[in-house]
Amino acid sequence: MRLLHTSDLHLGRKGREEDIWKQWEKIVALTQQEKVDILIIAGDIFDNGQAERRLKQRFCSSLERLTREGITVLVIPGNHDLRQGNALEGIELPGVKVAFDYEVVILEGIAFHLFPFSPEITGQDLVKIRQKTEAKFEIGVCHASYVAIRDIFNDLGDSQAIHIPLLPEDVKLLQFDYLALGHYHNAKYWQVGKTHCVYPGSIEPLSFKEKGKRQVFIGHFSNEIAISPIEIGCQQSYQEITVQIPPEGFEGAWREIETLPKRFGPCFLKIHLKGIGDEVLVKVWQQKVEKYLKEQAISVIWEDQTVDMAWIESTPLARQFRNIVQKRLEKSPQERDYWWRVLYRGVGCLKECYQEAMPKA
Amino acid sequence: MYVKQISFHNFLQFKEATFEFSSGLNLIYGPNEAGKTSLLKGIKYALFGPKSGIKERKATVTIIIDHNGQTVKAFNGKFDPAQIGLKIPPILFENIFFVPTGELDFKEPRKFFSFLKEKLLDIELLVMAKEKIRALMGKELAPLKEKFLKTGTLEEEQKRLLEKKTWLEKQKEIYLRIRHLNEEVLSSNQKAQEYQKELKQWEQKEATFKILLKKKGICERLNRCERLKEIKQKERELQKELAALEAFTREEGDRLMECQEGLQKIHQKREALKQALREIDKEIEGKRSQEERINQEITSIELELERLRIGLEQMPKINKVDLDKAKELLQKMTLLQQNHKEYQEKISQEQSKKEKLQSQKEILTKNSFKEKRKSILISLILILDTILLVATILQRQKTVFLTITCLLGIGLGYLWWRKRKHLEALQRDLLQTNMAYQKQKELLEIKEKELEKIKGQINLCLKDYQALCQELGVRNAEELDDLYGKRLQAKLRLNEAQRDLDNKRRIQKMLRDETLKLDQRRKKLRFEMETVDKEEEKIKAEIFTILHKAGVEAISIYHQKMKEKEALENQLKAYQDTLQNENISDPEMEIKSLKKQMETLKDIPDETIDERELQTNLEKLKIELDNIQAYINQCQGKLKELERQKEMAEAQVFNELYLVEEELKKIEREKEEWLGVYQVFLDIETEAETVLGEILNKASAQFAEITAHRWQGLKIKNGQIQAISQSKAYPIKALSTGTKDQLYLAVRLALAQEIIPEGLFLLLDDPFLTWDKKRTMKILKILEQIASKFQILLATKEEWLKETLSQRAHVINLTTIP
């Protein structure tokens, strides 16, 4: 028996609708190619509970294509599906199982435990409600947060999206052979005891945190269990770079900007701009870069970390400050980053004070 | 940079006036109230306007400044100071560049340098920034490394977040523990099930074991019954055998034993009696021979006795008294003879003494005669001499001769006197000796009379003795003594023989008595012998009757039979005991029923089960089960407790925890950065202090110069300026007014050069009022030196100064102006 495990489609994400759909089409095609028996979607099919009807229909028809070939589709709702409504209502078709309550589906001697999403429950509750079966293999499907891995904890914590916290003890008690997870957007595969745990990740990068390869997982269950990932590529990636304005001016930095389209292709690009420069000139240069990259299908998000040079020059104390920092930097170049931050902070502080003092004067 | 021109309009006493200055040293000369100070104030007003502190509403003062060849116009404070690089506030200008009097206008000299520091730095901004950091970081920031952030916004925030973090982690821990406990409960339950399964197996085993135990019991009982059956059979046989031996009884057996013993005793007794008889016979024999011997001895002694008695009667009869008398007389005689002898000796002694005295008397007489002779001779010579002397005196002879004769006369007189004395002594001795001799003679006569008496006594005794010897018929006393001894011996021998005879006779009697006693004992023993024989006869008859009754020939056979019988009886008793002990009344019946029971248990295999192992395993498993159950209960109790401790939904705990951790990290980084910023601020201040040091050095050098090295320099102690002279530091207060002014001017000049190194203008309003000429000349020299950079406007009313500088300075004479 073969299964394909994916999750976090986020169909209908504003501005990314077509990119995501293309990725979904890839998966559908892959499901057919890989001759799998079962497709598992572990939550977050839609980006929110009030998905457009047209999108739903489109999705249903793609599912139908699979069921027609005898592929069973097992779906559980994720937090996004249930946000402000229920996007999965009415997509149940023959051959498609959507679990709104805990259910055990036994197919070809394998038990599928479908845990739907609920914001109140935790990993312990899953243990409590799990039923016993006599099946040869037992597979759990769940939209949960495995917080024992630091990356997952950090990324989900960042967006305050830790739902159904799941810990190794829970996984041990659940005693599944395979735990098909959803919710975390980067692919992760690890083992707890006999349990193979898998987050396939989102099918298309949706934020700067989603940087790894996009993958779905194929599980082969015969006498043994074999798990293998398949890369599905992406439409638009999220990238981050740091650009340092060189002392000679913006020209040096521009040369670096020109290499970016080749390096990343169409993508979302976050540029951390560092250095000392005239405020106005920096703004003008940023606009120029934005315009250039837009033409190359790169959307730029700025992280402006420059310091206004003119102000420093005109303020004796700020000048003195800069000079001292420069001296310190010469003494300990390995602390460059730190002193750079100190300079920002110090100059910022002085400027703030200066502005506070000005009205009084 | 210098002031090129100044124009006044309605300023103090100037209605309309314009003055021109040169770039170097300018001297403004004028008496009091000529407007020297007003002119200098005008420059200040033009630069700072009303900010300078001068209130002149209608006035207009315009100055034209030459700044590196560029002309800048300033009036009433209206101009861009940055244009000429004049970036100092009015107060600083007032104090350093404009010197109306000698005094520095800093109210408290102590604060001088802190004030100065403030002026050197953009201190307001710096203080603000520092305050800001302090507010963020905490109060004690100065010693950065040690006192690390005590209180402050960031610190408080951090603390709050840390508390929250701890709380959240505790919550998280609760969830973790709940999970762990659940896992424990589950695994423990599984284990408990396993144990229960095992326990069941062992319990089954136990059941089989019990059945086996029953089977075994039946088998054993069966065996026992069969054995009992056999015993009963044997019992019957034994009883038959015993019946055959009925004639042999215990009592008679015992009696036979007694008889046998009695016979033995009798035999022994007889032997003893025979022995005793033999011994007595022997003894009697011994006694008889002894008696005979003694009888013979008695006869011989009697014969001897007779012979002795005859001997005694033949001997003369001498008695003891006579013998003693004779002896006494002899003794007395010897004694007297001895006395006699002694007296004779004494008399001879006295005789010798008498002779001695006689010889002495003769000697003495002879001597006295001699002496008499001598004395007569001497007296003759003396007479002669006297005559001579008289003659001499009469003839009136020479004195020498007279003297000699005189001396001779004296010597002779002395000699004669001595001889006379000697003669007297001799006469006395002779008299004494004569008396002693007479006495001795008398004594001798008495002794001789006594000796005569003793001789008479001896003769008397001899007579008596001789009479006695004649009477007794013996020659002398020795013979008498011998005879008396012989008679005494004979008597003694007779008495001895008599005593011997008495002894023997007593022994003879004793022997006769003993023999009699022995005879009696012999008789008694013979009688005993007879009774013993009788008893033997009796016992032998009894034995015969018993044996005859049992029909056996010998006692030993009887005993053998008895033993056999006893053994049989014992066996029988043992059988009967076993039968009685077993509570099986009828073994045969029971055998039947047990066999039936065995029939049903026939199919049970005969397994070997170790009972101990079975029991220990059962117990062990039960304990394990109990333990596990207790552990599960414990876990569940803990779980309940933990459930109660939950205060926040688990998902929220994790979300919040993440936030708090992030926030903490950010704060940590921010703190670090702020520390850096603060450090930089401190660095800036340190740099400013270095500059201050340089200023001080310069001021110090100039002060020494002005005072012609009367003072060596300056130093700062506790923020206060002190002047040094001969390695001693003096506070400003201790200085004279002139020196004080000189010190302040030196400091001012140094400051001016540091603050605006490019140069400015110095306004000096008669600063040398208190100075002597020498020092004034010195300062003028210095001023001329720096005049290339600093335009100097020196106002004075001293004429000598005007005259001294008239050639070297541009002079503005205010007296010429109405």
Side-chain angles (χ1 to χ4, degrees):
Chain A
M1 201 278 291
R2 282 164 75 79
L3 64 81
L4 192 145
H5 168 206
T6 184
S7 76
D8 298 85
L9 276 44
H10 289 270
L11 294 170
R13 165 68 66 101
K14 286 250 162 68
R16 306 298 312 279
E17 293 89 344
E18 278 316 301
D19 287 341
I20 295 171
W21 188 260
K22 276 177 196 161
Q23 288 293 104
W24 168 240
E25 284 291 336
K26 269 191 200 171
I27 291 167
V28 171
L30 201 64
T31 313
Q32 290 164 328
Q33 265 174 41
E34 289 287 328
K35 292 185 178 145
V36 299
D37 307 299
I38 293 154
L39 171 67
I40 297 174
I41 310 174
D44 283 358
I45 289 103
F46 296 100
D47 197 47
N48 65 68
Q50 292 172 326
E52 284 172 43
R53 187 177 290 172
R54 247 184 60 206
L55 182 62
K56 275 186 172 178
Q57 278 172 359
R58 207 174 164 194
F59 178 66
C60 285
S61 62
S62 66
L63 288 185
E64 261 176 359
R65 256 158 52 207
L66 296 175
T67 53
R68 241 180 278 137
E69 290 186 21
I71 295 168
T72 313
V73 182
L74 300 176
V75 178
I76 56 159
N79 54 325
H80 280 264
D81 295 314
L82 301 176
R83 188 184 278 175
Q84 297 159 337
N86 186 346
L88 299 186
E89 249 172 21
I91 64 157
E92 251 177 300
L93 305 161
V96 178
K97 176 79 214 163
V98 184
F100 290 110
D101 291 306
Y102 169 66
E103 244 175 282
V104 184
V105 179
I106 296 177
L107 295 165
E108 296 181 44
I110 295 174
F112 291 87
H113 298 256
L114 307 177
F115 298 97
F117 178 79
S118 161
E120 289 88 21
I121 62 165
T122 72
Q124 292 179 77
D125 298 314
L126 303 186
V127 176
K128 278 178 202 157
I129 58 174
R130 181 212 196 276
Q131 289 168 3
K132 276 188 183 168
T133 69
E134 297 294 322
K136 189 182 177 190
F137 293 114
E138 305 214 45
I139 295 170
V141 185
C142 182
H143 195 76
S145 315
Y146 187 81
V147 285
I149 292 175
R150 197 73 213 177
D151 291 351
I152 301 172
F153 173 67
N154 284 354
D155 287 353
L156 292 177
D158 239 1
S159 42
Q160 288 292 285
I162 298 171
H163 302 302
I164 318 186
L166 196 65
L167 286 162
E169 287 84 355
D170 301 329
V171 177
K172 270 184 219 160
L173 289 177
L174 283 167
Q175 294 178 311
F176 288 132
D177 297 293
Y178 184 87
L179 185 58
L181 293 162
H183 190 47
Y184 179 56
H185 281 200
N186 285 322
K188 272 256 151 53
Y189 169 40
W190 72 100
Q191 249 178 304
V192 179
K194 65 163 186 176
T195 313
H196 300 263
C197 307
V198 173
Y199 272 118
S202 59
I203 58 170
E204 169 68 11
L206 297 173
S207 76
F208 285 104
K209 276 183 206 136
E210 291 160 52
K211 285 206 192 78
K213 295 161 185 168
R214 300 297 103 190
Q215 293 175 333
V216 293
F217 282 77
I218 299 280
H220 188 85
F221 296 81
S222 52
N223 287 326
E224 287 177 352
I225 302 169
I227 312 294
S228 52
I230 297 176
E231 269 185 54
I232 54 169
C234 68
Q235 302 300 318
Q236 279 195 65
S237 62
Y238 280 80
Q239 304 292 344
E240 264 179 88
I241 55 160
T242 302
V243 175
Q244 176 87 43
I245 302 168
E248 67 263 22
F250 293 107
E251 276 139 42
W254 183 256
R255 254 171 266 137
E256 198 184 340
I257 297 295
E258 279 177 331
T259 63
L260 297 177
K262 259 191 190 167
R263 256 168 78 189
F264 300 128
C267 67
F268 295 93
L269 181 65
K270 191 184 265 182
I271 301 177
H272 297 265
L273 190 61
K274 287 185 174 176
I276 298 171
D278 188 85
E279 218 175 325
V280 183
L281 288 178
V282 169
K283 278 270 158 352
V284 170
W285 188 76
Q286 280 179 348
Q287 278 165 9
K288 187 182 161 193
V289 171
E290 244 171 81
K291 198 182 161 202
Y292 168 74
L293 289 178
K294 190 95 195 166
E295 283 164 14
Q296 308 290 328
I298 293 178
S299 315
V300 177
I301 293 108
W302 288 103
E303 264 312 294
D304 190 354
Q305 294 168 350
T306 55
V307 176
D308 184 6
M309 191 166 64
W311 186 80
I312 292 178
E313 284 305 319
S314 69
T315 317
L317 195 59
R319 213 165 52 229
Q320 272 170 313
F321 194 92
R322 190 201 52 200
N323 291 342
I324 300 263
V325 170
Q326 260 167 5
K327 271 186 210 161
R328 293 237 166 215
L329 255 174
E330 277 161 26
K331 263 188 230 162
S332 48
Q334 72 278 10
E335 289 177 358
R336 191 192 154 76
D337 223 44
Y338 171 68
W339 285 110
W340 194 243
R341 289 206 314 265
V342 168
L343 181 63
Y344 282 131
R345 213 170 266 287
V347 170
C349 170
L350 285 175
K351 198 167 182 178
E352 218 175 289
C353 294
Y354 187 77
Q355 278 158 0
E356 274 172 36
M358 278 313 267
K360 281 182 211 163
Chain B
M1 180 164 57
Y2 70 98
V3 182
K4 216 173 172 182
Q5 195 196 64
I6 184 162
S7 316
F8 296 103
H9 175 74
N10 282 339
F11 185 79
L12 300 170
Q13 61 258 64
F14 299 114
K15 294 288 170 206
E16 288 293 337
T18 303
F19 300 98
E20 300 273 335
F21 303 106
S22 77
S23 63
L25 182 60
N26 295 277
L27 190 78
I28 304 161
Y29 173 74
N32 286 340
E33 308 225 352
K36 302 189 292 290
T37 310
S38 304
L39 200 154
L40 295 177
K41 273 186 180 169
I43 295 173
K44 209 167 83 179
Y45 190 73
L47 283 171
F48 302 107
K51 270 192 230 168
S52 65
I54 303 159
K55 300 276 183 292
E56 282 292 307
R57 272 197 289 165
K58 286 175 185 172
T60 310
V61 183
T62 312
I63 56 168
I64 293 165
I65 298 165
D66 185 295
H67 180 55
N68 303 335
Q70 208 182 335
T71 309
V72 180
K73 204 173 175 184
F75 73 100
N76 293 8
K78 282 173 191 153
F79 86 111
D80 183 9
Q83 217 176 336
I84 56 165
L86 186 68
K87 287 170 283 187
I88 52 171
I91 187 150
L92 194 63
F93 182 82
E94 168 102 29
N95 268 296
I96 296 168
F97 298 94
F98 181 63
V99 194
T101 62
E103 286 281 337
L104 262 176
D105 196 21
F106 304 128
K107 290 286 183 286
E108 287 172 78
R110 194 139 69 91
K111 286 186 180 167
F112 176 70
F113 270 88
S114 58
F115 185 86
L116 190 62
K117 205 163 87 180
E118 279 178 30
K119 294 308 146 195
L120 278 170
L121 294 166
D122 195 346
I123 203 76
E124 271 174 43
L125 200 60
L126 186 64
V127 166
M128 244 173 105
K130 271 167 84 178
E131 277 309 316
K132 211 167 208 159
I133 298 173
R134 273 211 190 94
L136 274 169
M137 302 282 283
K139 280 171 193 163
E140 298 291 330
L141 248 174
L144 271 174
K145 292 278 147 64
E146 289 118 16
K147 290 184 189 172
F148 190 80
L149 315 174
K150 289 286 180 213
T151 55
T153 330
L154 284 178
E155 181 66 14
E156 275 162 25
E157 181 67 10
Q158 197 180 24
K159 222 162 134 190
R160 190 183 65 77
L161 285 170
L162 276 172
E163 271 167 23
K164 194 167 178 190
K165 191 184 167 191
T166 341
W167 183 81
L168 283 167
E169 263 167 0
K170 264 185 203 157
Q171 288 287 316
K172 183 180 156 190
E173 187 62 28
I174 287 168
Y175 285 109
L176 287 177
R177 277 175 64 198
I178 287 173
R179 280 174 166 78
H180 182 72
L181 285 169
N182 275 330
E183 204 188 335
E184 287 285 292
V185 170
L186 202 84
S187 63
S188 297
N189 270 328
Q190 274 175 1
K191 230 182 197 173
Q193 274 170 9
E194 274 168 34
Y195 281 136
Q196 238 141 13
K197 232 184 247 172
E198 211 180 323
L199 190 68
K200 234 176 224 170
Q201 280 176 9
W202 280 103
E203 272 168 355
Q204 262 174 7
K205 250 188 188 174
E206 198 192 13
T208 1
F209 178 73
K210 272 179 190 164
I211 293 166
L212 279 174
L213 219 62
K214 199 178 171 189
K215 194 177 166 186
K216 214 168 145 193
I218 290 168
C219 269
E220 264 175 28
R221 203 171 165 84
L222 206 64
N223 285 343
R224 232 161 58 212
C225 285
E226 265 159 12
R227 213 174 65 234
L228 280 178
K229 214 170 119 188
E230 269 173 42
I231 286 170
K232 274 209 163 174
Q233 190 66 37
K234 274 183 188 163
E235 192 198 358
R236 261 174 250 135
E237 282 165 18
L238 274 176
Q239 266 166 353
K240 266 183 207 164
E241 273 177 52
L242 273 173
L245 287 170
E246 214 173 353
F248 296 88
T249 64
R250 180 82 240 168
E251 291 78 32
E252 281 180 343
D254 287 349
R255 184 65 207 147
L256 270 176
M257 284 281 265
E258 268 170 41
C259 287
Q260 233 171 345
E261 271 167 28
L263 274 178
Q264 205 137 23
K265 265 184 202 161
I266 284 163
H267 188 68
Q268 275 170 8
K269 213 174 179 181
R270 188 189 287 141
E271 281 300 307
L273 283 171
K274 268 182 189 166
Q275 184 71 22
L277 269 172
R278 235 175 276 141
E279 271 167 22
I280 283 172
D281 282 346
K282 219 190 243 171
E283 223 173 315
I284 290 169
E285 201 69 25
K287 296 285 175 196
R288 285 224 174 110
S289 65
Q290 244 175 343
E291 210 181 312
E292 236 162 86
R293 212 165 56 229
I294 283 181
N295 282 345
Q296 271 173 16
E297 274 172 7
I298 288 170
T299 22
S300 71
I301 288 168
E302 275 171 345
L303 275 176
E304 175 78 11
L305 201 65
E306 200 58 30
R307 202 171 43 90
L308 282 173
R309 231 173 250 159
I310 293 164
L312 191 65
E313 270 164 30
Q314 280 170 351
M315 269 185 193
K317 283 180 186 170
I318 297 161
N319 57 25
K320 181 95 169 108
V321 185
D322 292 332
L323 188 64
D324 285 347
K325 210 172 175 182
K327 266 182 189 171
E328 203 180 312
L329 280 172
L330 264 178
Q331 231 166 5
K332 202 174 176 183
M333 217 150 68
T334 32
L335 232 142
L336 283 170
Q337 267 160 358
Q338 233 166 15
N339 236 353
H340 183 240
K341 216 174 175 181
E342 268 169 30
Y343 264 97
Q344 265 175 338
E345 266 168 33
K346 263 180 196 171
I347 287 165
S348 62
Q349 267 176 11
E350 294 298 328
Q351 204 83 37
S352 66
K353 250 182 200 174
K354 190 181 144 188
E355 270 160 23
K356 213 169 152 187
L357 281 169
Q358 209 163 3
S359 64
Q360 208 173 348
K361 198 171 113 186
E362 271 163 24
I363 292 160
L364 279 170
T365 331
K366 222 183 257 176
N367 275 0
S368 69
F369 183 69
K370 258 183 209 169
E371 289 300 310
K372 260 174 195 167
R373 254 188 342 207
K374 273 176 196 172
S375 101
I376 290 164
L377 193 69
I378 289 161
S379 43
L380 272 177
I381 295 162
L382 189 61
I383 292 161
L384 269 175
D385 191 58
T386 318
I387 294 162
L388 200 62
L389 186 63
V390 169
T392 325
I393 295 161
L394 289 175
Q395 285 167 9
R396 292 180 194 177
Q397 287 285 327
K398 283 181 187 171
T399 43
V400 176
F401 189 73
L402 184 73
T403 320
I404 291 166
T405 11
C406 243
L407 284 170
L408 199 69
I410 291 162
L412 286 170
Y414 175 72
L415 218 65
W416 181 79
W417 182 73
R418 269 196 59 186
K419 285 293 162 186
R420 197 143 177 95
K421 277 259 171 179
H422 194 200
L423 202 66
E424 271 171 26
L426 279 175
Q427 222 96 43
R428 225 166 24 238
D429 282 351
L430 192 64
L431 213 71
Q432 274 174 0
T433 317
N434 266 337
M435 268 159 72
Y437 181 74
Q438 220 62 45
K439 241 186 215 171
Q440 198 70 31
K441 224 169 160 181
E442 280 166 21
L443 201 80
L444 204 64
E445 274 164 16
I446 293 162
K447 295 263 173 173
E448 268 166 3
K449 268 180 202 165
E450 272 177 22
L451 192 69
E452 226 40 49
K453 224 190 217 167
I454 290 165
K455 260 182 189 169
Q457 276 173 348
I458 292 170
N459 284 337
L460 213 74
C461 274
L462 201 66
K463 256 183 212 167
D464 280 349
Y465 178 67
Q466 275 164 352
L468 193 66
C469 281
Q470 255 175 1
E471 196 185 331
L472 288 173
V474 283
R475 265 168 297 168
N476 51 23
E478 273 160 20
E479 210 183 309
L480 186 67
D481 201 21
D482 191 35
L483 277 174
Y484 180 72
K486 271 180 187 168
R487 194 181 158 79
L488 215 64
Q489 249 177 5
K491 254 186 184 171
L492 275 172
R493 221 179 287 152
L494 191 72
N495 283 346
E496 212 175 296
Q498 193 66 44
R499 243 187 346 260
D500 212 5
L501 187 69
D502 286 349
N503 248 346
K504 293 289 174 188
R505 280 205 178 128
R506 212 166 48 241
I507 291 167
Q508 193 185 30
K509 205 186 168 193
M510 215 168 67
L511 282 172
R512 266 180 206 155
D513 283 353
E514 273 175 22
T515 323
L516 216 70
K517 268 183 198 163
L518 282 172
D519 269 344
Q520 273 173 359
R521 259 180 73 194
R522 195 160 59 179
K523 263 183 205 161
K524 208 173 159 189
L525 282 173
R526 274 189 187 145
F527 180 69
E528 263 179 53
M529 200 78 151
E530 271 167 33
T531 49
V532 163
D533 284 349
K534 269 181 204 162
E535 217 173 309
E536 193 184 4
E537 281 300 307
K538 216 169 121 192
I539 288 168
K540 272 183 179 167
E542 201 178 342
I543 290 170
F544 179 75
T545 39
I546 291 168
L547 288 180
H548 186 72
K549 202 171 137 197
V552 287
E553 285 86 30
I555 296 171
S556 58
I557 298 167
Y558 192 95
H559 280 309
Q560 211 180 323
K561 287 280 179 186
M562 269 306 286
K563 260 182 204 160
E564 269 174 41
K565 192 184 171 185
E566 246 164 56
L568 286 172
E569 271 169 353
N570 280 340
Q571 214 173 348
L572 185 67
K573 210 181 170 235
Y575 286 154
Q576 276 165 349
D577 283 349
T578 19
L579 282 171
Q580 217 156 29
N581 285 342
E582 291 287 349
N583 47 2
I584 299 164
S585 50
D586 196 343
E588 278 181 52
M589 277 286 283
E590 209 147 316
I591 284 169
K592 268 179 203 165
S593 77
L594 286 171
K595 272 189 176 161
K596 262 182 203 166
Q597 282 180 34
M598 275 302 276
E599 204 63 29
T600 55
L601 294 169
K602 205 170 65 184
D603 299 332
I604 305 286
D606 286 335
E607 266 182 88
T608 47
I609 293 170
D610 189 349
E611 193 190 350
R612 194 179 289 167
E613 193 195 339
L614 186 76
Q615 288 302 330
T616 47
N617 272 326
L618 274 170
E619 260 168 50
K620 217 164 80 187
L621 281 168
K622 271 173 193 167
I623 288 167
E624 293 273 8
L625 263 171
D626 283 351
N627 283 348
I628 279 192
Q629 201 52 51
Y631 184 64
I632 289 168
N633 288 343
Q634 206 185 331
C635 284
Q636 269 159 354
K638 275 186 195 164
L639 271 170
K640 263 183 204 162
E641 177 63 29
L642 286 170
E643 288 289 344
R644 238 178 290 139
Q645 286 176 13
K646 279 189 203 166
E647 285 179 45
M648 194 187 254
E650 195 182 354
Q652 209 184 337
V653 168
F654 280 105
N655 281 323
E656 295 259 326
L657 195 63
Y658 172 79
L659 279 186
V660 167
E661 277 177 10
E662 278 304 293
E663 204 67 32
L664 275 170
K665 261 187 239 156
K666 231 156 79 188
I667 285 180
E668 205 46 58
R669 221 174 54 199
E670 201 180 325
K671 264 161 111 178
E672 232 173 67
E673 287 168 12
W674 282 121
L675 273 177
V677 172
Y678 201 84
Q679 182 61 57
V680 173
F681 285 156
L682 292 183
D683 285 357
I684 290 171
E685 282 182 308
T686 319
E687 253 182 22
E689 261 159 35
T690 326
V691 173
L692 275 178
E694 279 166 23
I695 293 171
L696 188 75
N697 285 343
K698 205 167 207 169
S700 187
Q702 281 173 354
F703 180 58
E705 180 93 43
I706 293 166
T707 58
H709 296 282
R710 160 84 178 72
W711 295 87
Q712 274 96 51
L714 301 173
K715 70 169 195 176
I716 290 181
K717 201 179 170 192
N718 303 331
Q720 242 178 323
I721 303 178
Q722 292 187 334
I724 304 165
S725 172
Q726 288 163 356
S727 312
K728 264 190 183 171
Y730 298 91
I732 291 179
K733 266 190 265 172
L735 304 178
S736 72
T737 324
T739 317
K740 217 189 280 176
D741 289 348
Q742 284 143 27
L743 186 149
Y744 282 136
L745 188 66
V747 173
R748 276 201 178 93
L749 287 176
L751 282 171
Q753 286 167 61
E754 183 60 41
I755 293 170
I756 306 172
E758 311 88 58
L760 196 71
F761 25 84
L762 283 172
L763 314 178
L764 306 177
D765 190 6
D766 230 345
F768 315 127
L769 275 175
T770 51
W771 300 35
D772 57 21
K773 257 192 188 171
K774 196 178 155 197
R775 291 197 182 178
T776 313
M777 292 310 284
K778 285 263 181 199
I779 189 67
L780 283 175
K781 220 177 202 174
I782 293 170
L783 287 174
E784 277 178 315
Q785 272 172 21
I786 61 169
S788 58
K789 267 193 178 177
F790 285 85
Q791 183 193 29
I792 290 162
L793 304 176
L794 174 61
T796 184
K797 60 177 195 298
E798 301 290 330
E799 208 167 345
W800 72 269
L801 253 180
K802 188 189 97 182
E803 271 155 30
T804 317
L805 293 172
S806 60
Q807 295 304 309
R808 287 146 43 191
H810 173 75
V811 181
I812 296 145
N813 205 332
L814 282 178
T815 49
T816 55
I817 290 159

